[in-house]
Amino acid sequence: MNRRGFLLLGSGLLLAGCVSGGSAVQLGPDGKPLPRVYRITPAVAGQIQYRLLDSVNTLRQAKGAQPLVFNASLNAAAETHSRDMSVQNRPWHFGSDGSSPLSRVQRAGYTGRLLGENISETYQTELETLSVWMESPDQRNVVLDPAARELGFAWYQEEGGKIWWTMVTGG
């Protein structure tokens, strides 16, 4: 192949790589791509908790920590807080009624010891959210705490797609 043919072929491949094969990326007012909405459908909803639990336990196993099991009271406390963060429209550890993570798990009937709580406001999947938690030392410590034996995990998705995630651990 001569030099001109090589350059034309290379230019064509370069341009082909720039063409979007699907929907165009939408940009926000700041010029950055807008988040893609992760829609939690009824078919997906039943799998989310178990995908997170499996992933958490894989991470814990790699660090020599015991696996976690779901606790219904911790799940209830996490669900309540996810909805409440949406009402407040801010991710933080205190409820609109002034409740703390400890008072919420006690109110939900948990008799064990609360060890930690991770929260998030995002449009991302549960596994992307877990990945972000693992990048923060404080949140990673909640996931990998060797004293933890039980897990509560829940979410609330608003109509616009924003998801409020809550993970609570106990021992």
Side-chain angles (χ1 to χ4, degrees), residues 70-91:
F70 280 124
N71 176 283
S73 296
L74 291 177
N75 282 338
E79 183 174 354
T80 298
H81 192 55
S82 292
R83 287 180 180 273
D84 190 49
M85 286 190 296
S86 172
V87 169
Q88 297 181 73
N89 196 32
R90 64 178 170 178

Side-chain angles (χ1 to χ4, degrees), residues 92-113:
W92 75 322
H93 294 282
F94 294 95
S96 58
D97 60 356
S99 62
S100 68
L102 179 59
S103 61
R104 281 192 301 277
V105 300
Q106 289 173 340
R107 189 172 29 198
Y110 186 65
T111 57
R113 185 170 60 115

Side-chain angles (χ1 to χ4, degrees), residues 45-169:
Q47 302 168 11
I48 289 174
Q49 281 187 311
Y50 296 101
R51 278 197 302 249
L52 180 98
L53 179 64
D54 289 345
S55 297
V56 164
N57 284 337
T58 299
L59 292 166
R60 290 176 60 81
Q61 181 182 19
K63 291 295 184 180
Q66 291 187 358
L68 301 180
V69 296
F70 280 124
N71 176 283
S73 296
L74 291 177
N75 282 338
E79 183 174 354
T80 298
H81 192 55
S82 292
R83 287 180 180 273
D84 190 49
M85 286 190 296
S86 172
V87 169
Q88 297 181 73
N89 196 32
R90 64 178 170 178
W92 75 322
H93 294 282
F94 294 95
S96 58
D97 60 356
S99 62
S100 68
L102 179 59
S103 61
R104 281 192 301 277
V105 300
Q106 289 173 340
R107 189 172 29 198
Y110 186 65
T111 57
R113 185 170 60 115
L114 172 69
L115 295 174
E117 178 181 72
N118 285 341
I119 57 173
S120 181
E121 162 198 24
T122 184
Y123 292 88
Q124 297 176 317
T125 70
E126 66 283 358
L127 299 182
E128 290 169 317
T129 301
L130 176 60
S131 177
V132 170
W133 287 339
M134 291 302 290
E135 292 174 9
S136 163
D138 290 340
Q139 294 170 324
R140 181 176 50 249
N141 289 341
V142 171
V143 174
L144 300 177
D145 185 345
R149 298 292 179 265
E150 298 175 300
L151 176 71
F153 179 71
W155 68 91
Y156 177 75
Q157 185 166 37
E158 297 176 354
E159 284 186 31
K162 184 187 291 184
I163 307 168
W164 302 87
W165 301 101
T166 304
M167 183 180 103
V168 186
T169 57

